[in-house]
Amino acid sequence: PHPSAATPQNKATMFALATRQAVRTVAPIRQQKRGLVNWMVNYPDRVMEMKKIQQAGGTCQGEYNPTWLKQPGDNLTLIFGAGLVGYGAILSCVGYYRLATGKGKKE
């Protein structure tokens, strides 16, 4: 057989190249307008502002001025997280009590 004979692999490759070329000629490349995600990619850069807040007070201040409580809203996050952990701990204790005493069984 001739090396350039039409084998199934060669046909598939030729078809793929032809379809790519057809798509390029039919659908010209357009610049994206980003209407739906514009708010996600165009926002003010506040890195230095946050860096000043995080570094306020110098170093070795972790015990009295922890980094994770410096930004606005960090106290609410702490309270919410502590509430979830506390609620889980209470439910775990109730569950262990019921297992130990045999109460709360479904008959």
Side-chain angles (χ1 to χ4, degrees):
H2 193 268
S4 64
T7 63
Q9 292 170 344
N10 286 344
K11 285 182 182 180
T13 305
M14 289 188 299
F15 182 73
L17 290 173
T19 54
R20 284 185 197 148
Q21 185 62 34
V23 168
R24 284 187 197 131
T25 56
V26 171
I29 297 174
R30 290 183 219 114
Q31 183 67 30
Q32 292 182 359
K33 299 212 189 270
R34 294 192 185 271
L36 295 175
V37 294
N38 198 27
W39 62 273
M40 290 178 11
V41 294
N42 292 332
Y43 54 90
D45 185 15
R46 297 177 43 205
V47 172
M48 295 309 290
E49 179 184 337
M50 290 296 167
K51 188 175 178 182
K52 286 178 187 175
I53 293 172
Q54 293 293 328
Q55 293 178 346
T59 58
C60 300
Q61 303 286 326
E63 184 178 351
Y64 303 108
N65 191 13
T67 304
W68 47 273
L69 285 176
K70 288 185 177 180
Q71 293 181 8
D74 285 347
N75 290 332
L76 293 175
T77 306
L78 172 65
I79 291 169
F80 181 73
L84 284 177
V85 170
Y87 183 66
I90 289 171
L91 289 181
S92 295
C93 290
V94 168
Y96 284 134
Y97 173 76
R98 287 181 178 175
L99 280 172
T101 60
K103 295 183 179 180
K105 287 184 180 180
K106 293 185 179 180
E107 298 293 328

